Amino acid sequence: MLSRRKFIKQSGLGLGFAMMPTTFNFFELNDFVSQRPELSKRKFVSKSVENTIKKVKKSIADPELAWIFENCFPNTLDTTVNHYQKNGKPYTYVITGDIDAMWLRDSSAQVFPYLSLAKEDEKLKNLLKGVINKQIEFVLLDPYANAFYDDNQKVSEWKNDFTEMKPGVHERKWEIDSLCYVMRLSYHYWKTTGDASIFDEDWKNAMLLILKTFREQQRKENKGPYKFQRGNGNPLDTQFGGGYGNPTHKNGLIHSMFRPSDDATFYPYLVSSNMFAVVSLRQISEIFKTIFSSLNVDNQFIELANEVDEAIKNYAIFERKDFGKIYALEIDGFGNALFMDDANVPNLLSIPYLGYTSYHDEVYKNTRKFSLSTANPWFNEGKFAKGIGGPHVGENKIWPLGLIMQALTTDDDEEIFYCLKTLKNTHSGTGFIHESFDVNNPKDFSRSWFAWANTLFGELILHLYEKKPEILKSKF
């Protein structure tokens, strides 16, 4: 193993880490009071989640890190879920935190770490089934929308967007990953619990609609039915070309008008999201082959996955000085490419986590080196932290999501240590993980209630508890 000093020098994480102060040390040992709602005010209580918190906390030597885990891991259940029955089926509406709407992406990621506990917890399993049923309902309402309301009478602040807004839709930004996250949650729920009861007629129709939508957005014959523009003056919130995006050479890739940050793509082929689609399509093919074999459509999901994968290999890999062959984040098929990485998942950093490739793959390793370097225009570093940010929050800001994903995509103990230390030192005394913070002033952060980041942090700690428990015995 590299010494910490050698790791810092060789990894490009910078010389500042070894001398990093114990940033914003607000607390004495006895000040770590739970920031969770009192029991009677929690939205949902799971015995298996509570038992996991107690068990894992005992293995964490650093009391502040243990406190953050205790606050963050159950945050989605504590504060964001509304679970109910409708027409004999469970439904679960999951808000993002401080925004009263359900994003397909966020809701999937928010509950994903609970899957491993669901097999032995019927109450939790029913809640997760409800999330899937709610997502299916939303996909059938509009596969091009990214966020929805439980109450279709609620009027969106984006009601005047130049797109086909429907009742119940909060925002209609077309993002490939929104549908991939729905597929991912369904697949892993099935593989983890063995429960196939979610695969009803609505679920089947939603998956076939996703397949249709992906094919429409290959745009082989025409531009398809979706376009989007917004008149608020923010160029990240609208699209070029009359709402269809910049021109592309049609090559089998799927167009995505927005990134997982909800920012507009510059080149419509968002590579990381196409990679996610490859994985998700193959997963759904497996389900159709097993559950709906009489339909003989599983091969259609596989064929599209293979076509997209082939196009990624043919068009998305470029030679870059100092890095070798790497993936571009966005391309247009004409040879133009955007070389950057954004902290939101799926990004290029996350593709082993999502199952597209191994983190030992050479092109991925080169790409990861690029993403975590100053050659990436959205890699920011300052007095208290360094990591990946993105245009959504601007310069000198990084997203803790990026630090968490950095730790989830490496086997290097020193790098994981760096990520945990930085996360611990930049929560600004709140005990929660934020959307973003300033690298020179962690008190300058966005979104004090951002459940996706909180739960993903919990997922990281569970991952380390299972795979690298010795790391949790350190003081950070």
Side-chain angles (χ1 to χ4, degrees):
M1 182 185 298
L2 288 175
S3 70
R4 186 167 296 131
R5 185 180 302 275
K6 287 183 179 178
F7 166 74
I8 295 162
K9 184 176 181 180
Q10 293 179 19
S11 67
L13 291 172
L15 296 175
F17 171 57
M19 298 177 286
M20 223 178 197
T22 52
T23 313
F24 294 106
N25 186 15
F26 289 97
F27 302 103
E28 298 298 332
L29 180 61
N30 295 327
D31 289 334
F32 297 120
V33 178
S34 173
Q35 298 301 298
R36 300 176 65 186
E38 61 182 74
L39 187 60
S40 64
K41 294 183 179 179
R42 294 174 190 173
K43 298 287 188 180
F44 186 90
V45 178
S46 160
K47 287 185 178 180
S48 62
V49 170
E50 298 303 321
N51 290 337
T52 298
I53 293 169
K54 292 176 183 176
K55 178 179 67 175
V56 174
K57 270 191 71 181
K58 291 178 181 177
S59 74
I60 304 174
D62 190 302
E64 188 171 350
L65 194 73
W67 175 66
I68 299 170
F69 171 73
E70 178 187 13
N71 295 331
C72 288
F73 180 55
N75 185 246
T76 288
L77 300 182
D78 283 352
T79 65
T80 71
V81 299
N82 179 26
H83 182 56
Y84 58 91
Q85 295 284 320
K86 183 174 70 174
N87 301 325
K89 292 168 62 173
Y91 287 83
T92 309
Y93 180 68
V94 186
I95 65 172
T96 68
D98 53 11
I99 304 174
D100 184 14
M102 180 169 169
W103 266 253
L104 296 178
R105 169 183 53 255
D106 292 43
S107 60
S108 293
Q110 283 170 244
V111 301
F112 193 81
Y114 306 134
L115 285 176
S116 63
L117 307 176
K119 192 171 184 179
E120 308 303 326
D121 186 338
E122 193 65 28
K123 183 181 174 185
L124 180 62
K125 186 168 82 169
N126 204 48
L127 176 124
L128 295 169
K129 288 173 67 173
V131 177
I132 293 169
N133 288 334
K134 196 66 189 174
Q135 290 179 339
I136 294 305
E137 180 180 88
F138 287 151
V139 170
L140 291 172
L141 172 62
D142 188 351
Y144 283 105
N146 59 319
F148 302 81
Y149 296 124
D150 202 25
D151 178 7
N152 64 12
Q153 299 301 309
K154 189 171 182 178
V155 178
S156 171
E157 63 182 299
W158 309 119
K159 66 182 186 302
N160 294 322
D161 286 347
F162 300 105
T163 190
E164 186 185 351
M165 291 289 287
K166 297 178 180 179
V169 170
H170 168 70
E171 189 172 55
R172 195 172 188 253
K173 288 181 173 179
W174 162 236
E175 301 162 352
I176 293 172
D177 71 278
S178 291
L179 298 182
C180 293
Y181 270 105
V182 173
M183 301 157 85
R184 180 179 191 245
L185 182 62
S186 291
Y187 176 79
H188 284 283
Y189 172 86
W190 174 55
K191 298 297 282 188
T192 303
T193 67
D195 178 16
S197 66
I198 57 169
F199 302 137
D200 59 11
E201 192 72 10
D202 286 342
W203 187 91
K204 180 194 73 175
N205 289 335
M207 294 303 116
L208 293 174
L209 181 57
I210 290 173
L211 181 66
K212 175 177 179 288
T213 304
F214 282 172
R215 284 174 169 165
E216 286 174 350
Q217 289 306 311
Q218 287 181 298
R219 301 187 184 179
K220 292 180 177 180
E221 297 177 0
N222 53 56
K223 292 182 177 180
Y226 175 85
K227 61 180 179 178
F228 181 99
Q229 288 185 302
R230 178 175 290 172
N232 66 350
N234 181 355
L236 294 174
D237 258 352
T238 193
Q239 260 301 347
F240 306 93
Y244 292 102
N246 276 322
T248 56
H249 170 68
K250 309 308 180 282
N251 58 14
L253 290 174
I254 304 165
H255 297 69
S256 189
M257 293 295 93
F258 292 88
R259 302 171 187 148
S261 61
D262 297 332
D263 293 338
T265 52
F266 187 78
Y267 296 124
Y269 294 141
L270 181 55
V271 174
S272 54
S273 288
N274 272 268
M275 291 169 166
F276 197 3
V278 170
V279 175
S280 301
L281 287 163
R282 288 172 176 162
Q283 291 171 342
I284 299 306
S285 173
E286 182 182 342
I287 296 172
F288 269 79
K289 188 173 184 178
T290 305
I291 307 297
F292 302 106
S293 57
S294 61
L295 297 178
N296 293 318
V297 297
D298 57 283
N299 62 309
Q300 295 184 35
F301 290 92
I302 283 291
E303 287 170 2
L304 180 55
N306 291 344
E307 181 182 8
V308 174
D309 195 21
E310 185 69 17
I312 291 169
K313 291 177 170 59
N314 289 337
Y315 291 92
I317 299 173
F318 295 82
E319 188 79 27
R320 288 277 292 188
K321 183 182 178 182
D322 299 327
F323 298 99
K325 290 182 178 180
I326 70 170
Y327 294 109
L329 182 66
E330 295 173 8
I331 62 173
D332 63 1
F334 292 111
N336 299 305
L338 180 62
F339 294 100
M340 60 167 273
D341 208 7
D342 188 293
N344 283 261
V345 181
N347 59 356
L348 295 173
L349 184 68
S350 71
I351 58 176
Y353 168 80
L354 295 171
Y356 180 75
T357 190
S358 162
Y359 54 67
H360 300 297
D361 176 79
E362 284 301 317
V363 179
Y364 173 71
K365 287 196 295 185
N366 294 341
T367 305
R368 191 177 195 278
K369 182 180 176 184
F370 165 82
S371 295
L372 296 172
S373 76
T374 54
N376 173 11
W378 294 104
F379 182 86
N380 297 308
E381 53 185 300
K383 182 178 179 182
F384 295 109
K386 55 196 73 180
I388 303 174
H392 194 74
V393 290
E395 293 182 288
N396 298 319
K397 299 286 184 72
I398 66 174
W399 289 63
L401 283 177
L403 291 167
I404 296 168
M405 192 52 58
Q406 183 179 345
L408 283 167
T409 55
T410 184
D411 198 41
D412 191 299
D413 292 1
E414 302 289 354
E415 187 172 6
I416 295 168
F417 185 96
Y418 163 78
C419 294
L420 289 175
K421 181 177 177 71
T422 305
L423 289 163
K424 173 195 161 182
N425 287 340
T426 55
H427 64 90
S428 195
T430 66
F432 291 103
I433 305 298
H434 305 130
E435 178 191 54
S436 70
F437 63 87
D438 191 293
V439 293
N440 293 306
N441 179 18
K443 289 183 178 180
D444 179 9
F445 62 83
S446 60
R447 300 190 69 178
S448 60
W449 181 19
F450 185 39
W452 178 13
N454 287 329
T455 315
L456 191 65
F457 174 79
E459 182 177 342
L460 169 61
I461 297 298
L462 287 185
H463 168 76
L464 296 175
Y465 177 80
E466 295 291 337
K467 303 295 185 182
K468 289 181 171 289
E470 68 283 353
I471 292 181
L472 298 180
K473 296 175 184 177
S474 302
K475 294 287 186 72
F476 298 93

